[in-house]
Every structure is written in structure tokens, then in C-alpha cells.
Amino acid sequence: MPLAATRFTYVAMTAPLIDPFQRAITYLRVSVTDRCDFRCVYCMSESMTFLPKKELLTLEELDRMCSTFVRMGVEKLRITGGEPLVRRDIMTFFNGMTRHLDSGALKELTLTTNGSQLERFADQLYAAGVRRVNVSLDTLDDQKFADITRWGRLPQVLRGIDAAQRAGLRIKINAVALKGFNEEELPRITEWCAERGMDLTWIEVMPMGDIGNENRLGQFWSLKDVRAEYENHYRVTDLSERTGGPARYVRLEETGQKIGFITPLSHNFCESCNRVRLTCTGELYMCLGQEDMADLRKPLRDHPGSEEPLEQAIRAAIGLKPKGHDFDYSRQQVDGRMSRHMSHTGG
Ligand code: SAM
Ligand code: SF4
């Protein structure tokens, strides 16, 4: 092969993933399943139809896919779903990713979970190199927990959180802010997190997927109001810290706690976005709030012996990453509404 061509290939394979707005893509969220053992009312309808198995990337394909992204500069992998820990043999995948942590190419391997299976997996996750876990928990009331998750039981999740902390995993709690549901629990949830040394992030409910009869506008509790509620109880200081994601942080002076706010609707966070999302079927979504996606499963499956077609498809997809999303509740209509569920794209 002529020298010039060799050099071109070399540069093409190692150049970082930069999108058209000069954002370096270093963070990949991977949904490993669309299934879940809960049916949270804002996320799924009670009767969900899940994808046939053959549509899903196998564990080996997930490994190839993630390894390719790591080779192309992704430094942080967050595994999500559906509920990632209900995917059969999921530890095989986590254990496979350990080699990228060991080589230093991957800086962080994390997951977002509903916590139901943590009691079983906490030690194994720690052994695989996971150090931080986000656990989604919207209420500390047994009955309300059963109501909001439909199928979940709070004590099981609390045992999972205990096991995770014992294993040495750092926990962040993610709570969806729901008007008239967990409003009055804000001080209790905050203190519970403080006592256990866990960070807490509030998420605004987003218009994702068909969830049956639930009324999203009725559920919407603006994080501006959540913040105002904190100011009624604590001295609140803004922090300049950014993670490249949609979260903004404050410190509560009384407890020293860091509280995050993920405000996709009332605040625009797109300018510093460093992430893309891979679905469990191998579709790459360049933006959580846009329908544009690239099918990466085809180049992966069509070329089992070569990663080059996959790399080219990834680069082409990143070249289409849009500037930002279109969510808008401002006219009391759910504009920019997404037809896919959060459990498909991965939250
Ligand atoms: N099952 C895992 C869990 O619940 O953590 C991971 C997947 S779940 C889709 C990821 C996150 O998305 C959770 O924190 C959940 O609360 C959040 N989520 C789901 N549907 C949402 C919606 N419509 N608006 C805002 N957040 C949502
Ligand atoms: Fe399952 Fe997570 Fe969706 Fe709840 S938010 S239904 S736990 S995927």
C-alpha cells in the first residue's frame, strides 16, 4: 500500500470523534436491553411489547461495538436500559470491558439502574472495575414506590443500595421530579442521601414514548420550582462544575451536599454535549431529543472480520450530530415529543 494511503488510514482511525460543532465525543451511553422488571408510569405503559431477541445486539456484538468506540476516543461508558441488570449474563459484558479500564483507554465504566438487582451484582460490578452507580429512586414511601414503579418494591431496592455501598460503589440517586407526587418528600429524600453520603440529582420528566393514560403535563414539576423549594429549607450556592451533560449543580451549605438538576426542558444544555447513545439494537442516536439515528448493527453484522466499516459508519453518524434538541412545553403542548421510549434509547 502506498505510504500516503497508509498514513491516511492511520490518521482516520485515531483521530478523535469531533462533531460539526467542534464537540469531542468522549461519552457513550449504551442500552443493553429494552426490558425491565419495573413499569414506571413516566417511562413505560403497563403492557409493553418488547423487541424480539434477534433484534438485540448479542453480548459479543456489544463488546465489539463498545471496544470500537473506546478505540475512537470514548473514555466513559454508561450502561443503561431498560434495566441493564436484567439482561442475561450481563456480567460477561462488564467483565469484558475491564480490559479497557486496565489499558487506561477507558477512564470510567458506570451504570444506571433501578437497584432491584444490586444486591446480587454489587460485588461483581466492583470486581469488574465499576466504581460509581446511579440508582433511580423517586420516593422513600413503600406504597408510593409501588404505585410509581407499578411492579417494584422499595425494600428490595434499599437492600441493593446497602449492598452496593458495602461493596465500595459510590451511589448517586436520580429522582424524577413529579408534581404532587414527591414534592413534599424533597427534604426527606435530601436528608436520607446526606446521611448515606450519596449525591442526589433531580430530573425533569421528559416527553418520551407512549405511556398509556398518564398525563405528562400534569406530572411536570419544573426544576426551577424544585430549586426554589430548596431555598426555602437551605442556603443554596451555585457550583460552576459541568460534566458535559445536562446536569447543573448546587451545594447545600447546611449539609455540604451536592444536588444536581437535569433540566432538559427549562434550560438548554446542548452546547457542551459530549455524548451519544447506542440502543440495544445498535442504533446510534446523536441526540436524546431528535429522531436522527444511524444503524450501526448492519456494518457490524455484515463485516464480522473487520471493524473498518463500523468505524466509518460511526464517523459518518457523528458528522450528523445536531446542534441541540427541540423539547418544548412552553405553550402547554408537548412539542418536540419523541415517539420512542426512554427505555429504548437509554436514559
Ligand atoms: N432502569 C434503569 C433506571 O431506572 O435507572 C435505567 C434506565 S431508565 C430509562 C434511566 C433513567 O431515565 C431513570 O432515572 C428514569 O427515572 C429516567 N426516565 C425514564 N423515563 C423518563 C421520562 N419520561 N422523563 C425523565 N426521565 C425519565
Ligand atoms: Fe424500568 Fe428504569 Fe423505565 Fe423504570 S425508568 S420502567 S426502572 S427502565
Side-chain angles (χ1 to χ4, degrees):
M1 191 185 291
L3 187 61
T6 314
R7 193 183 301 140
F8 175 77
T9 308
Y10 178 73
V11 171
M13 284 179 66
T14 56
L17 287 170
I18 306 284
D19 82 357
F21 304 95
Q22 300 306 312
R23 297 168 297 195
I25 306 306
T26 55
Y27 181 170
L28 177 67
R29 286 196 178 215
V30 184
S31 173
V32 294
T33 178
D34 60 336
R35 287 162 201 260
C36 187
D37 51 348
F38 290 4
R39 291 288 181 280
C40 301
V41 298
Y42 46 75
C43 180
M44 293 191 182
S45 64
E46 193 152 17
S47 55
M48 291 288 289
T49 310
F50 293 110
L51 294 162
K53 274 227 177 64
K54 66 176 186 342
E55 298 286 323
L56 299 193
L57 297 180
T58 64
L59 293 175
E60 293 74 22
E61 288 172 336
L62 278 168
D63 187 310
R64 267 183 74 197
M65 194 73 95
C66 291
S67 300
T68 301
F69 273 98
V70 169
R71 220 171 29 250
M72 297 175 88
V74 161
E75 296 179 341
K76 180 169 173 176
L77 274 182
R78 177 172 293 282
I79 310 308
T80 180
E83 173 47 43
L85 296 180
V86 303
R87 171 93 196 237
R88 202 188 171 119
D89 292 331
I90 191 62
M91 284 314 303
T92 306
F93 169 76
F94 277 101
N95 291 333
M97 290 300 104
T98 309
R99 70 185 187 278
H100 299 309
L101 289 170
D102 290 344
S103 77
L106 186 62
K107 305 273 185 283
E108 196 174 29
L109 176 62
T110 58
L111 78 149
T112 300
T113 173
N114 64 24
S116 69
Q117 308 301 317
L118 269 181
E119 193 174 19
R120 181 168 155 218
F121 287 114
D123 288 325
Q124 298 175 59
L125 288 167
Y126 189 89
V130 174
R131 293 292 175 265
R132 294 193 309 146
V133 175
N134 287 358
V135 180
S136 306
L137 181 76
D138 306 326
T139 173
L140 288 171
D141 179 282
D142 280 350
Q143 186 54 50
K144 281 163 76 176
F145 189 88
D147 292 345
I148 198 84
T149 62
R150 291 199 189 100
W151 295 4
R153 295 296 170 261
L154 182 62
Q156 185 181 348
V157 171
L158 296 182
R159 284 200 306 277
I161 292 174
D162 285 343
Q165 289 198 303
R166 271 199 310 276
L169 296 168
R170 205 172 155 67
I171 306 276
K172 178 161 78 78
I173 299 295
N174 282 341
V176 175
L178 295 162
K179 210 182 184 78
F181 178 76
N182 52 13
E183 263 175 304
E184 70 284 7
E185 273 195 88
L186 179 139
R188 182 173 172 215
I189 294 174
T190 305
E191 278 156 32
W192 177 74
C193 288
E195 281 161 16
R196 306 188 57 124
M198 303 186 297
D199 288 329
L200 170 62
T201 292
W202 293 91
I203 308 174
E204 266 176 4
V205 73
M206 287 184 264
M208 309 286 294
D210 176 12
I211 49 162
N213 297 326
E214 307 293 332
N215 175 357
R216 267 184 222 281
L217 289 172
Q219 293 173 344
F220 182 62
W221 181 21
S222 162
L223 293 194
K224 281 191 191 118
D225 297 341
V226 179
R227 196 202 143 100
E229 186 61 21
Y230 270 109
E231 285 171 346
N232 290 335
H233 296 87
Y234 303 92
R235 277 181 300 131
V236 176
T237 307
D238 282 309
L239 299 176
S240 55
E241 183 179 332
R242 295 280 187 274
T243 58
R248 297 289 176 266
Y249 297 95
V250 300
R251 187 176 52 238
L252 306 182
E253 295 302 338
E254 286 79 358
T255 63
Q257 226 172 334
K258 197 173 84 173
I259 306 287
F261 299 98
I262 299 185
T263 53
L265 306 171
S266 58
H267 194 285
N268 200 310
F269 56 83
C270 304
E271 71 283 351
S272 60
C273 182
N274 62 354
R275 61 197 58 191
V276 287
R277 291 174 162 81
L278 185 72
T279 70
C280 52
T281 57
E283 294 166 343
L284 187 72
Y285 281 90
M286 283 69 84
C287 170
L288 182 62
Q290 300 277 4
E291 299 280 6
D292 270 357
M293 60 87 178
D295 173 18
L296 299 183
R297 189 179 62 189
K298 188 167 167 36
L300 183 90
R301 284 196 177 162
D302 286 358
H303 302 275
S306 161
E307 306 305 16
E308 210 171 313
L310 176 61
E311 289 184 5
Q312 281 169 4
I314 291 173
R315 250 179 234 295
I318 298 300
L320 297 174
K321 185 167 163 68
K323 196 169 179 188
H325 65 67
D326 297 330
F327 289 142
D328 181 8
Y329 277 82
S330 60
R331 291 180 298 280
Q332 291 300 300
Q333 301 170 31
V334 189
D335 282 354
R337 190 178 190 288
M338 301 303 302
S339 59
R340 65 186 190 271
H341 286 93
M342 195 76 126
S343 52
H344 182 63
T345 330

